[in-house]
Amino acid sequence: MTQAPVSTVVTASDVEPALVPAISSRAPGGKARKKKTKDPKPKITWDRIKAQRVLLLMAVPLLMYQILFKYVPVYGWSIAFQDYKPGRGSIWNQEWVGFENFVDLFTGVNGERFRRVVVNTVGQSVLSLLVGTVGAIVLALLLNEVKNLPFKRVLQNITYMPHFLSWVIVASLASVALSMPSSGGFINQVLMNVGLVDEPVLFLTEPNYFWGIVAGTNLWKELGWNTILYLAAITAIDPSQYEAAEVDGAGRYRKMWNITLPGIRPTIVVLLIINSGWILSTNFELPYFLGNGLIAEKAETIDVFVLRYGYQLGNYSLAVVAGIFKTIVAIILVGSANAAAKRLNQETLV
Amino acid sequence: MSSTSVAKPLAPSAAQGRPARRRRRWTTERVVFTSLNTTFLVALAVIMVYPLLNTLAISLNDGMDAVRGGIGIWPRVFSLRNYEIVLNMDTIYQAFIMSTLKTVVVVATNLFFTSMLAFALSRKEFIFRRPITLIFVLTLYFDAGLIPNYLLIKDLGMLNSFQAYWVPVMISAFNLIILRTYMKSIPEEITESARMDGAGDFRTWWQIIMPLCKPVLAVIGLFVAVGSWNAWLDTLLYNSGDPALTTLQYELQKLLASSMNAGANSANSAANQAAVGAGGQLTTPIALRSAITMVAAVPILLVYPFLQKHFVSGLMIGSVKG
């Protein structure tokens, strides 16, 4: 009951292997797929309601709470169809303008900026996702080759650590690391000592570096954490496959390439698909903290646009339109990603 | 009996089928690979810890000396003055208390309400089990957006109040599913026998099921605590109007923002060179920010040893089909 596995190695073997495909159908961030339960549907009768009044008392107020805090805010979407001025008081006193704000955001004066914002969001997310996935797979393969278990455990614990630091701290560390040597910028220091550059690089004022900085910082923060599921998937590979390959004379790299990688392929595919459902929803903090006026053209993402341009500058209507756009696209993406993952799950995992 | 030569009608599970570790010979290939791999992994570990150690060293260094740069993982001119200044700043002291208080309240309320609902939803006989679960699961995907959420808090009159910290995050749908799944795995005989002994649903939950859920509650509680401690947007959106409600992450974020603007305005970051005075003591923004970063990171680093024991099992529990 209270077993607290110290490392993934122990844990993965504690868990029934049948669970590992199930693991792979979820992203670590917490997107559970709804699974049809096989329990019979309970009939609703007056007697049952009376008999279950305590259960109802435990559940229904919290249901109301959830509806109030997660669904009721949709009334705020009406701002999208108004020329919202905070000075006019509540949203019932505003002037209705139909789809004017939508036209403005997608084609009008703000159209160009918004298109750039969408491109930045997708670009930063895709780059981070690809770099992060490749990095995590490589690290999982290398960790899997470490036979000294205490050493492996120490490595895992060190690489998981940044996952628990807040984005504010990580952005703060990144801004110091990337600054001038005089401000403690050790990356520039290293580059200059090695002789790669003569002058310190102005990382955070050059727009073209920004997507790379976002991907790199994400990699640093989540690299170790993202290996957990791949390591679990590797543990689930039938060892007799490796033994058979050894008998056939396969070396280390052949085994990696021909057994381990195909073995975790379903996990890779499912995680990629599920994470791609969140492409418009990731990358908020880093662009917000590290982005500045000089690099806004590459740094500003949808969420930053909503917070800066909408909330902080009072352009509520446009920000809500951008938010609606994001929510609807995200639902479509997450929905189809989940459907795709489910189909793949059935075909390749079971 | 070599396991490769035996035909297996049933594939052995990875856990049980793992053969006893065989001694392998140290071939040249293995020596070369192992040393390269070890070198690479150690380098990676250094990259992971260096930024924090560097910040720690700067925070323990004399502020005026720190702007000369070149500090590695060891302070050049050791001084505790940065921490002295930081801990004497009313804002930071307030923020530390508020961050702690908020984290404690969020963990307590979130665990209480999430597990109470999870218990109801884990009972097979509960009539509204499925529609209620569906409504909660959908909120994993659906979000009305930043400004609508802000307007709700405003219309509820919770702006600039402590309630804005814990009421909106009283239940987390993902943890709800984890807990419900875990409670479902508890044998039904246990709740049955509790009922025989005359315990009602509420008592069964509080006195029978909750103690059995301790391991998973610990994991979820630690994750909720880390999430609450690390949050900054709630302060910015809801509570930035009341200095008494400020949090550490929010203060650090403000400091970061001002240094980013300074850095963007002048490449030489003149602002970083200027000395700031607080209570008559002199230090520099970079040293000050390093000290505040450490103050904000240390609680996480302190619970990390407890976390790392549990989080993998937490991830595994979360992945059990619901």
Side-chain angles (χ1 to χ4, degrees), chain B residues 87-160:
Chain B
L87 296 178
N88 277 323
M89 286 163 87
D90 284 346
T91 337
I92 299 299
Y93 179 77
Q94 276 276 5
F96 190 88
I97 301 287
M98 188 45 64
S99 284
T100 313
L101 185 66
K102 167 193 162 199
T103 301
V104 170
V105 172
V106 166
V107 170
T109 52
N110 185 295
L111 283 187
F112 182 84
F113 291 115
T114 306
S115 65
M116 186 168 84
L117 183 63
F119 172 75
L121 297 181
S122 73
R123 306 263 42 92
K124 274 206 188 71
E125 72 274 13
F126 183 41
I127 39 178
F128 297 128
R129 175 170 51 85
R130 281 205 270 190
I132 294 180
T133 309
L134 182 65
I135 287 171
F136 275 87
V137 167
L138 284 181
T139 58
L140 287 172
Y141 306 105
F142 179 80
D143 179 28
L146 186 139
I147 288 179
N149 287 337
Y150 165 77
L151 286 177
L152 177 79
I153 300 295
K154 190 179 158 204
D155 290 348
L156 291 174
M158 297 205 302
L159 284 188
N160 297 317

Side-chain angles (χ1 to χ4, degrees), chain A residues 121-196:
Chain A
T121 313
V122 175
Q124 291 176 17
S125 295
V126 170
L127 193 63
S128 305
L129 181 58
L130 292 182
V131 171
T133 305
V134 172
I137 294 169
V138 170
L139 181 60
L141 288 177
L142 293 182
L143 277 174
N144 191 46
E145 296 294 328
V146 177
K147 303 299 176 209
N148 182 338
L149 289 184
F151 177 57
K152 183 175 176 177
R153 205 167 297 151
V154 169
L155 281 172
Q156 284 178 300
N157 288 340
I158 288 178
T159 51
Y160 296 166
M161 185 268 299
H163 172 80
F164 295 95
L165 296 176
S166 73
W167 275 114
V168 184
I169 292 177
V170 171
S172 180
L173 295 177
S175 80
V176 171
L178 294 165
S179 63
M180 293 288 99
S182 62
S183 313
F186 51 82
I187 292 180
N188 268 319
Q189 195 75 55
V190 169
L191 288 179
M192 281 161 74
N193 289 351
V194 176
L196 277 173

Side-chain angles (χ1 to χ4, degrees), chain A residues 32 52 65 75 157 166 243, chain B residues 3 125 141 155 167 249 286 304:
Chain A
Q52 298 182 1
Y65 157 84
Y75 77 86
N157 288 340
S166 73
E243 285 153 24
Chain B
S3 57
E125 72 274 13
Y141 306 105
D155 290 348
V167 177
Q249 305 289 338
I286 171 127
Y304 185 66

Side-chain angles (χ1 to χ4, degrees), chain A residues 30-67:
Chain A
K31 300 102 200 182
R33 278 190 306 121
K34 201 181 109 56
K35 198 84 191 169
K36 284 217 167 64
T37 41
K38 288 184 193 83
D39 317 322
K41 198 176 178 178
K43 257 211 198 100
I44 300 169
T45 61
W46 189 242
D47 283 347
R48 279 181 182 236
I49 292 181
K50 252 167 87 180
Q52 298 182 1
R53 60 187 185 281
V54 179
L55 284 179
L56 284 167
L57 207 64
M58 290 165 95
V60 172
L62 293 172
L63 175 70
M64 302 295 190
Y65 157 84
Q66 188 80 350
I67 291 174

Side-chain angles (χ1 to χ4, degrees), chain A residues 78-229:
Chain A
S78 54
I79 290 178
F81 305 95
Q82 299 170 336
D83 178 24
Y84 186 85
K85 297 264 174 9
R88 287 198 197 121
S90 87
I91 65 170
W92 315 115
N93 293 333
Q94 306 287 330
E95 184 193 337
W96 295 85
V97 295
F99 282 90
E100 220 170 77
N101 293 313
F102 287 83
V103 175
D104 183 17
L105 191 66
F106 295 122
T107 61
V109 213
N110 291 297
E112 201 187 330
R113 180 173 182 183
F114 190 64
R115 272 193 295 278
R116 214 169 52 214
V117 163
V118 173
V119 169
N120 285 338
T121 313
V122 175
Q124 291 176 17
S125 295
V126 170
L127 193 63
S128 305
L129 181 58
L130 292 182
V131 171
T133 305
V134 172
I137 294 169
V138 170
L139 181 60
L141 288 177
L142 293 182
L143 277 174
N144 191 46
E145 296 294 328
V146 177
K147 303 299 176 209
N148 182 338
L149 289 184
F151 177 57
K152 183 175 176 177
R153 205 167 297 151
V154 169
L155 281 172
Q156 284 178 300
N157 288 340
I158 288 178
T159 51
Y160 296 166
M161 185 268 299
H163 172 80
F164 295 95
L165 296 176
S166 73
W167 275 114
V168 184
I169 292 177
V170 171
S172 180
L173 295 177
S175 80
V176 171
L178 294 165
S179 63
M180 293 288 99
S182 62
S183 313
F186 51 82
I187 292 180
N188 268 319
Q189 195 75 55
V190 169
L191 288 179
M192 281 161 74
N193 289 351
V194 176
L196 277 173
V197 293
D198 299 326
E199 289 277 292
V201 186
L202 295 163
F203 285 107
L204 288 171
T205 50
E206 167 57 49
N208 288 327
Y209 294 152
F210 195 73
W211 290 10
I213 290 172
V214 168
T217 313
N218 267 302
L219 182 71
W220 182 79
K221 189 173 191 288
E222 308 295 346
L223 177 66
W225 187 251
N226 287 342
T227 59
I228 293 180
L229 291 176

